[in-house]
């Protein structure tokens, strides 16, 4: 992400934009990535501008919450294989990762305003609620919209009860920043 933002910054005149004014958006594991970008592991570590807003869509945000759902009966072989996978994913064992900024809700101080969208039937609903609660406690503007039916993976929402979420997220962002166009 840092590389992409640096490339955009280098080419901002060519692209006719302001490279330091951006919004992040990610879905599921991508939602985790945009949340991690808002922690000390992201934009501050790379000395880049803070996003204007973030739209984590049905994000995975808490290893601790996920661990609470994990089965407790692992064999020694499963545990060793899981640890190798954890090191590949997080650079450290899962238990150590739980104490680092991978726990986005516990490291949300640097988050920009966030609009979070998820469906009621999504297995990651608890993650979205946990993130929204953390933002509220820190007085960071947030919006959590839970579609009444459906599961994981609604993308742009076409044909679902959450259709139009992109427009609502942008409108919410504009209202938060006082940049919403006046109604005519």
């Amino acid at each position: 992400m840092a590389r992409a933002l640096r490339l955009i910054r280098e080419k901002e005149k060519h692209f006719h934009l302001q490279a330091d004014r951006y919004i992040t958006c990610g879905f599921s594991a991508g939602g985790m990535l945009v949340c991690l970008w808002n922690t000390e592991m992201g934009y501050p570590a790379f000395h880049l501008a803070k996003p204007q807003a973030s739209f984590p869509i049905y994000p995975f945000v808490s290893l601790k919450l996920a661990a609470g759902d994990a089965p407790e009966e692992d064999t020694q072989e499963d545990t060793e294989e899981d640890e190798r996978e954890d090191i590949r994913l997080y650079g450290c064992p899962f238990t150590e990762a739980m104490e680092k900024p991978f726990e986005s809700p516990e490291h949300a101080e640097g988050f920009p305003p966030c609009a979070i969208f998820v469906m009621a039937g999504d297995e990651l609903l608890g993650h979205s609620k946990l993130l929204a609660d953390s933002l509220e406690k820190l007085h960071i503007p947030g919006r959590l919209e839970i579609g009444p039916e459906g599961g994981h993976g609604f993308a742009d929402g076409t044909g679902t009860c959450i259709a139009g979420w992109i427009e609502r997220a942008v409108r919410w962002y504009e209202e938060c920043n006082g940049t919403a166009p006046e109604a005519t």
Side-chain angles (χ1 to χ4, degrees):
M1 204 156 167
R3 246 174 103 187
L5 286 170
R6 285 185 177 131
L7 175 66
I8 291 167
R9 182 187 276 170
E10 288 172 18
K11 306 275 185 187
E12 75 180 318
K13 288 191 186 344
H14 175 76
F15 293 141
H16 305 287
L17 52 78
Q18 295 173 330
D20 289 341
R21 294 186 47 83
Y22 66 98
I23 294 172
T24 59
C25 180
F27 300 76
S28 193
M32 177 185 190
L33 292 177
V34 299
C35 287
L36 289 174
W37 183 250
N38 297 323
T39 71
E40 63 263 27
M41 294 172 64
Y43 70 87
F46 293 94
H47 308 289
L48 290 166
K50 179 179 182 174
Q52 300 292 300
S54 188
F55 302 159
I57 313 304
Y58 42 84
F60 178 98
V61 298
S62 173
L63 299 171
K64 290 178 182 175
L65 185 61
D69 295 333
E72 294 188 25
E73 294 180 26
D74 282 341
T75 65
Q76 179 67 28
E77 186 176 303
D78 288 342
T79 303
E80 289 172 8
E81 188 172 320
D82 289 346
E83 187 165 320
R84 282 194 301 274
E85 183 69 13
D86 294 343
I87 290 170
R88 189 175 71 80
L89 288 172
Y90 309 112
C92 59
F94 186 81
T95 53
E96 189 178 323
M98 285 192 283
E99 302 307 319
K100 294 186 176 195
F102 291 109
E103 281 301 307
S104 295
E106 294 178 8
H107 297 269
E109 307 81 26
F111 271 55
C114 287
I116 307 161
F117 294 83
V118 65
M119 295 288 208
D122 192 324
E123 63 273 9
L124 295 180
L125 176 61
H127 290 260
S128 294
K129 287 180 175 180
L130 182 63
L131 179 58
D133 290 346
S134 295
L135 297 173
E136 184 177 353
K137 287 176 187 164
L138 293 166
H139 307 288
I140 295 171
R143 170 193 171 102
L144 172 61
E145 185 175 323
I146 302 170
E149 57 188 39
H152 195 69
F154 56 79
D156 72 353
T158 300
T160 72
C161 61
I162 206 154
W165 73 262
I166 297 169
E167 292 80 7
R168 291 191 300 280
V170 170
R171 194 169 40 251
W172 171 82
Y173 165 72
E174 289 171 340
E175 289 168 1
C176 282
N177 291 292
T179 59
E182 290 185 34
T184 56

